[in-house]
Amino acid sequence: MERTLSIVKPDGVRKNIVGEVIGRFEKSGLKVVALKMASLTRKEAEGFYAVHCKRPFFGSLTEFMSSGPVVLMAIEGAGAIKKVRDIMGATDPKNAAPGTIRKDFADSIESNVVHGSDAPETAAFEIGYFFNALEIRC
Ligand code: CMP
């Protein structure tokens, strides 16, 4: 069993596709083990994406991620990290495969609807950033 952190980003919430995103994860056999809606401050977005702090898109990314409510979830299942990334599609929707969330709904590499952790260490950091042990079902 593996856990990963996924976020329906502000554009996904604005497009009213929260249920669509969660449904795609659930239909693939993955289980939501923690869930909440939150409005990230700029500082919280900066902390979450600290690994990208030297990248040219950091300012714009953190402004976007704090531009409206997001839905945060911890997802569990066999191979959950890769499974979620496969369901999301490539970061840039121009490169996303047909049938993926980003191909179907994303507008750009920044407004790309959904986030998923990229490795076990990142998943552990990202789940712990938003959820404490009491908020995660077993
Ligand atoms: P995400 O999976 O949330 O991880 C980091 C995010 O940075 C990524 O999705 C994109 O939304 C964003 N990102 C990555 N590369 C670029 C880029 N070249 N320009 C703008 N945003 C980017």
Side-chain angles (χ1 to χ4, degrees), residues 111-134:
S111 294
N112 66 355
V113 174
V114 68
H115 167 85
S117 313
D118 63 1
E121 312 75 54
T122 334
F125 164 76
E126 293 183 352
I127 292 170
Y129 193 80
F130 290 121
F131 295 102
N132 65 49
L134 287 174

Side-chain angles (χ1 to χ4, degrees), residues 89-101:
T91 307
D92 187 341
K94 288 200 228 67
N95 304 324
T100 60
I101 292 170

Side-chain angles (χ1 to χ4, degrees), residues 9 49 52 57 61 85 91 102 109-110 112 114-116:
K9 297 186 180 186
Y49 280 120
H52 295 304
F57 56 81
L61 171 64
R85 290 179 72 78
T91 307
R102 285 165 171 163
I109 194 166
E110 180 172 275
N112 66 355
V114 68
H115 167 85

Side-chain angles (χ1 to χ4, degrees), residues 41-53 58-59 62 129:
T41 64
R42 188 73 180 264
K43 278 258 169 290
E44 287 167 338
E46 287 172 357
F48 180 75
Y49 280 120
V51 67
H52 295 304
C53 72
F58 184 67
T62 54
Y129 193 80

